[in-house]
Amino acid sequence: QVQLVESGGGSVQAGGSLRLSCVAFGYSVSSYCMGWFRQAPGKEREGVASIYNDGRTTFYADSLKGRFTISRDNAKNTLYLQIDSLKPEDTAMYYCAANPSTSWVLCRDMRGFPLWGQGTQVTVSS
């Protein structure tokens, strides 16, 4: 059974950092395009970052470049999202997702992800 389990969220003050983790069960993260998404209350879900199947090619939402770093550890079958200089507007539920497609375009555009975790909450106070 394929499953994604996120962790690492929490309540932090503005300017702090968090590292979110997403462990995959039932498949290898190295075979999939993996991504991080977030959804704030009252807003649509948005793509934050993705990492292509090759493990080297990464993509970021234009508005979020610079503070977010996506990476993965194949040995631990885990995806990470490092968030630095947190802002109150980063408050959201963060989800990891997997796309078995080898489409570079879908990965770049953060579209077509059929597998999702339950999310981890990030709350940033000013």
Side-chain angles (χ1 to χ4, degrees), residues 18-22 36-37 48-49 60 68-71 79-83 94:
L18 281 175
R19 188 176 78 157
L20 309 183
S21 300
C22 172
W36 284 99
F37 297 77
V48 175
Y60 295 90
F68 294 77
T69 305
I70 189 171
S71 62
L79 178 74
Y80 300 101
L81 183 69
Q82 177 72 34
I83 314 174
Y94 284 73

Side-chain angles (χ1 to χ4, degrees), residues 27 29-35 50-53 59 72 97-101 103 106-108 110 113:
Y27 74 97
V29 296
S30 62
S31 301
Y32 285 54
C33 167
M34 302 291 296
S50 59
I51 183 166
Y52 188 56
N53 311 47
F59 307 99
R72 75 183 193 206
N99 186 352
S101 169
S103 169
L106 287 179
C107 197
R108 179 199 66 191
M110 301 180 213
F113 285 75

